[in-house]
Amino acid sequence: TTAPAANAKANVVILATGGTIAGAGADASNSATYQAAKVPVDKLIAAVPSLGALANVRGEQVFQIASESFTNAQLVQLAKRVSALLKQDDVDGVVVTHGTDTLEETAFFLDLVVKSDKPIVVVGSMRPSTALSADGALNLADAVATAASPASRAKGVLVTMNDEIQAGRDVTKRVNIKPSAFVSQWGPLGMVVEGKTYWFRAPVKRHGTSSEFDIDTIDTLPDVAIVYGSGTMNPAAYTAAVQGGAKAIVHAGTGNGSVAGYLVDTLKDLRAKGTVIIRSSRVGDGFVLRNAEQPDDQYDWVVAHDLNPQKAKILAAVALTKTTDTKELQRIFWEY
Ligand code: DGL
């Protein structure tokens, strides 16, 4: 499929899922006290009249939930809808409005499984539209401008927050009540200013059409648990996760993704029974390598590289739809 002719306005579909961008507070003083997932997509669009100058826009209400409530089934349903829309010649890009709590997981999931070079932009807001200096309207306009721009093609899933364009793979919510909440340890890809995108970097990790994963062949995702590392841990947290159905456990370890000596036997036992063990780090900008402080080769563990625990959970769930081989899983964690 080709990009729209240079002077034609792009056709952008906004898929609304809820979150604060659809939130409402009691009055303008409420920037943190409000209810998420209230305002329907057509009202979101009507509240930003300038969208019509950026693209031909139409909306669909896929869900109306606070994003902490997203389930794997809803991730799959959303990705299938995005994939189907981008196959249509009359759709040039998709914007997904989303709560910010799990926006980073949804953005990475779509990055991995939607096989299209057309722009997919996930966007949220840190303040409800009813608040002073609400950020949702500009974030949404930036998202539509980015989804409408041919320069956004083949750059993976993008996230527009606070004037910046972030890679869906890298971006994470680092703060819970500031418009500057979303950061990437490798930096933003670009900026949107007055409806125009400015690019400075492009992703190098596999995504979209270069991904080996395809949402059209995925109907369910396996359960993956995260156990948060600290001092004085209880091994039962890991065995309970497996008893609850987890096929893999992401260990959000201290520092280098470290594992307390008294946990090793439990993890080795779970591994021996088929559970995949993935070491990530609880630190903000983790970077976990094999056999650094932990004998991953000896224990047959996988390392999450630069992916934080929640991103590692998404990649593990997608990878496990194809393989349980730990050498293949480690390749996947190096390549995506
Ligand atoms: N409940 C949170 C969510 O839906 C609100 C945070 C937000 O959307 O900014 O993710």
Side-chain angles (χ1 to χ4, degrees):
T1 50
T2 53
N7 55 355
K9 262 198 290 191
N11 297 322
V12 171
V13 179
I14 298 178
L15 297 180
T17 72
T20 294
I21 196 166
D27 67 39
S29 66
N30 292 124
S31 62
T33 314
Y34 57 82
Q35 278 202 298
K38 289 287 168 220
V39 178
V41 63
D42 291 339
K43 280 190 77 177
L44 287 181
I45 295 170
V48 190
S50 60
L51 295 184
L54 297 168
N56 301 318
V57 171
R58 70 174 177 81
E60 292 182 11
Q61 193 79 43
V62 182
F63 311 121
Q64 185 69 291
I65 57 173
S67 73
E68 64 269 24
S69 301
F70 248 86
T71 64
N72 281 344
Q74 286 164 324
L75 278 178
V76 168
Q77 181 185 335
L78 174 64
K80 285 182 183 294
R81 186 62 190 137
V82 173
S83 176
L85 281 167
L86 291 179
K87 286 185 172 70
Q88 297 176 202
D89 284 343
D90 62 344
V91 175
D92 302 304
V94 166
V95 167
V96 176
T97 60
H98 196 291
T100 58
D101 283 8
T102 64
L103 189 150
E104 63 203 83
E105 285 104 315
T106 298
F108 188 28
F109 180 66
L110 296 173
D111 191 62
L112 291 168
V113 302
V114 179
K115 295 185 82 66
S116 173
D117 280 338
K118 292 180 181 177
I120 303 167
V121 186
V122 186
V123 64
S125 75
M126 296 303 294
R127 297 173 180 153
S129 57
T130 47
L132 276 176
S133 299
D135 55 333
L138 179 58
N139 288 352
L140 180 59
D142 287 352
V144 170
T146 304
S149 169
S152 305
R153 289 169 66 90
K155 286 193 170 71
V157 169
L158 303 167
V159 172
T160 55
M161 296 288 287
N162 199 38
D163 303 329
E164 293 177 330
I165 306 171
Q166 304 275 2
R169 176 201 184 270
D170 301 341
V171 75
T172 185
K173 182 177 181 180
R174 189 59 63 81
V175 178
N176 61 306
I177 55 168
K178 289 180 183 175
S180 59
F182 280 78
V183 295
S184 304
Q185 71 171 331
W186 312 121
L189 302 179
M191 276 193 82
V192 190
V193 181
E194 296 183 359
K196 287 184 176 44
T197 59
Y198 298 86
W199 299 96
F200 304 94
R201 302 187 309 104
V204 296
K205 294 288 186 177
R206 295 178 67 177
H207 60 263
T209 53
S210 68
S211 170
E212 65 201 273
F213 306 107
D214 183 351
I215 190 60
D216 294 349
T217 66
I218 296 172
D219 289 319
T220 56
L221 292 173
D223 182 27
V224 176
I226 299 173
V227 177
Y228 195 87
S230 67
T232 317
M233 291 192 69
N234 185 338
Y238 298 86
T239 49
V242 173
Q243 283 158 6
K247 300 299 178 230
I249 295 178
V250 175
H251 168 75
T254 53
N256 242 344
S258 299
V259 177
Y262 56 80
L263 293 176
V264 171
D265 285 346
T266 299
L267 294 188
K268 284 168 69 177
D269 178 51
L270 290 172
R271 179 68 205 116
K273 291 173 181 167
T275 302
V276 174
I277 304 295
I278 301 163
R279 289 194 307 113
S280 176
S281 173
R282 74 177 194 177
V283 307
D285 291 343
F287 195 92
V288 182
L289 294 174
R290 286 191 70 79
N291 304 312
E293 284 199 68
Q294 311 289 325
D296 299 297
D297 291 352
Q298 179 189 340
Y299 295 159
D300 193 23
W301 292 347
V302 175
V303 297
H305 198 18
D306 68 319
L307 293 176
N308 68 28
Q310 53 270 33
K311 300 272 191 179
K313 169 172 175 169
I314 291 292
L315 182 52
V318 169
L320 286 169
T321 65
K322 267 200 185 262
T323 180
T324 56
D325 176 89
T326 47
K327 293 212 176 355
E328 270 296 276
L329 290 170
Q330 187 64 74
R331 171 190 63 79
I332 289 166
F333 269 86
W334 293 142
E335 293 182 0
Y336 289 84

